[in-house]
């Protein structure tokens, strides 16, 4: 009872700070940002200077941005709910501070980064990426974040390291965890080290020019734009650098349907549906799916056996 009340009050505080940040941002576009006066929560108020981050011109998408009200009301986040339309509302109460990301394993310098340290490790940038779920829906959104590589460079993987594993927060107050106790929580995902070091692989802390809202995986999630959405794990609390290939949440549950590699590949159907086309979640338009989701120029060389080769 008491902890529930604290949980909700904290969330309310975060929401109020969010509103204050939004109204300050409007002023920032015209004149240099006045340094916000910090009263009670320095980390939340200084975020005003981090968002929106400068948009990178390297990653151009020839499709319209998905409106924020569409993308933030249609979410896959099974810890919250298996119903995409319910996630945003049920996720509102997720506590987002304090938050740490522990980086461990085969590295020279293991350490924990607070979310505030992560947001300041390098300058945040905005990247507009295509996003393609394995269920054949797609969107185009501006993420804010930093290359995962910037974090890995700080902890310095050992020469023997070949994989990176990611783990989501495990909070039994998340309604989907309570309702689906048979799933192997917490959610976990992994990449090869060379995939993790690719410049496209983003640790996202924001979307649409603001800090991530809970339903998109606040306060920090992965975005791997050439792979199906299930690889883009949300609300990360631990990153492990490993020598052997680990298992992943979905490949453990349904190995024939959601393999480790998970590259977007229109030529390889899912066992239960075609992957040749995708449906844009805002317009409903069906458009051809591109190999590597359109990012072959950056990543095709990582896969000499082709997008769907398992080795
Ligand atoms: N922890 C966690 N991460 C997750 C998921 C999840 O259920 N739990 N769903 C994945 C899937 S299947 C997709 S398509 C994307 C959806 O991200 P979005 O809701 O921000 O669009 O999150 C991915 N990351
Ligand atoms: Mo997905």
């Amino acid at each position: 009872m008491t902890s529930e009340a604290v949980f909700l009050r904290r969330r309310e505080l975060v929401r109020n700070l969010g509103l204050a940040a939004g109204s300050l941002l409007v002023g920032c576009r015209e004149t240099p940002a006045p340094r916000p006066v910090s009263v009670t929560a320095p980390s939340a108020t200084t975020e005003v200077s981090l968002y929106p981050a400068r948009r990178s011109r390297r990653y151009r998408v020839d499709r319209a941005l998905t409106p924020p009200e569409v993308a933030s009301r249609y979410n896959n986040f099974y810890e919250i709910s298996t119903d995409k339309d319910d996630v945003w509302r049920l996720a509102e109460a997720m506590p987002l501070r304090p938050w740490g990301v522990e980086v461990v394993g085969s590295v020279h310098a293991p350490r924990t980064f607070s979310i505030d340290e992560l947001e300041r490790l390098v300058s945040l940038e905005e990247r507009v990426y295509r996003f393609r779920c394995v269920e054949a829906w797609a969107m185009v959104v501006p993420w804010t974040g930093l290359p995962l590589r910037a974090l890995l460079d700080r902890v310095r993987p050992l020469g023997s390291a070949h994989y990176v594993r990611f783990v989501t927060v495990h909070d039994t107050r998340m309604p989907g965890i309570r309702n689906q106790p048979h799933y192997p929580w917490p959610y976990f995902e992994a990449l090869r080290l060379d995939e993790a070091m690719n410049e496209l692989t983003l640790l996202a802390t924001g979307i649409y020019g603001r800090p991530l809202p809970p339903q998109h995986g606040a306060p920090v999630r992965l975005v791997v734009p050439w792979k199906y959405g299930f690889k883009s794990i949300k609300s990360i609390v631990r990153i492990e650098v490993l020598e052997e290939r680990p298992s992943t949440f979905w490949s453990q549950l349904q190995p024939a349907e959601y393999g480790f590699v998970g590259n977007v590949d229109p030529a390889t159907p899912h066992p239960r549906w075609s992957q040749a086309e995708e449906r844009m979640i805002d317009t409903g338009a069906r458009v051809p799916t591109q190999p590597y989701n359109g990012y072959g120029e950056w990543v095709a060389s990582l896969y000499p056996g082709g997008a769907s080769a398992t080795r």
Side-chain angles (χ1 to χ4, degrees), residues 75-76 78 84 131-137 187 228-232 250 258:
N75 303 98
N76 271 337
Y78 272 34
K84 291 180 188 33
F131 189 93
R132 170 58 153 87
C133 174
V134 72
E135 298 161 337
W137 56 263
Y187 195 98
Y228 292 122
F230 63 84
K231 303 293 290 183
S232 291
W250 283 112
Y258 312 106

Side-chain angles (χ1 to χ4, degrees), residues 62-78:
D62 53 358
R63 289 180 187 172
L65 279 187
T66 304
E69 63 276 14
V70 177
S72 63
R73 296 284 185 276
Y74 188 85
N75 303 98
N76 271 337
F77 199 168
Y78 272 34

Side-chain angles (χ1 to χ4, degrees), residues 23-24 64-65 74 81 94 113 121 127 149 172 180-181 201-202 215 222 227 229 250 265 267 282 291 302 308 310:
S23 41
L24 278 172
L65 279 187
Y74 188 85
S81 172
M94 252 185 85
F113 296 85
L121 210 55
R127 296 184 180 186
R149 181 177 193 137
T172 51
Q180 275 93 223
T201 305
L202 197 70
Q215 68 269 32
L222 195 69
K227 291 179 180 279
W250 283 112
D265 181 4
D282 50 345
L302 296 176
S308 294
T310 51

Side-chain angles (χ1 to χ4, degrees), residues 18-200:
L19 283 178
S23 41
L24 278 172
L25 283 175
V26 176
C28 290
R29 293 182 198 281
E30 304 291 321
T31 49
R35 190 139 186 93
V37 181
S38 165
V39 187
T40 49
S43 61
T45 42
T46 49
E47 270 173 19
V48 168
S49 59
L50 299 175
Y51 302 88
R54 182 198 305 234
R55 182 173 293 182
S56 168
R57 302 228 206 119
R58 269 176 77 75
Y59 316 100
R60 290 177 191 273
V61 175
D62 53 358
R63 289 180 187 172
L65 279 187
T66 304
E69 63 276 14
V70 177
S72 63
R73 296 284 185 276
Y74 188 85
N75 303 98
N76 271 337
F77 199 168
Y78 272 34
E79 293 88 328
I80 305 293
S81 172
T82 51
D83 189 333
K84 291 180 188 33
D85 305 319
D86 284 347
V87 171
W88 68 273
R89 191 173 41 82
L90 293 171
E92 269 186 340
M94 252 185 85
L96 307 178
R97 296 286 192 287
W99 193 280
V101 179
E102 194 187 357
V103 190
V104 296
S106 300
V107 296
H108 290 284
R111 62 172 275 203
T112 297
F113 296 85
S114 72
I115 186 64
D116 304 295
E117 288 172 319
L118 265 187
E119 287 178 312
R120 288 162 184 80
L121 210 55
V122 294
S123 312
L124 295 181
E125 59 180 294
E126 183 173 82
R127 296 184 180 186
V128 176
Y129 277 166
R130 292 186 193 82
F131 189 93
R132 170 58 153 87
C133 174
V134 72
E135 298 161 337
W137 56 263
M139 60 182 186
V140 178
V141 298
W143 302 105
T144 306
L146 61 153
L148 175 62
R149 181 177 193 137
L151 176 137
L152 293 172
D153 284 344
R154 297 299 168 101
V155 297
R156 292 185 287 123
L158 301 178
S160 55
H162 296 296
Y163 293 92
V164 185
R165 179 173 185 266
F166 307 85
V167 185
T168 293
V169 68
H170 189 195
D171 186 331
T172 51
R173 291 171 298 185
M174 293 162 107
I177 290 188
R178 275 197 298 226
N179 296 337
Q180 275 93 223
H182 49 283
Y183 280 131
W185 309 115
Y187 195 98
F188 51 104
E189 254 303 335
L191 296 171
R192 293 183 346 207
L193 183 61
D194 58 352
E195 296 173 328
M197 297 295 264
N198 187 274
E199 66 164 272
L200 292 177

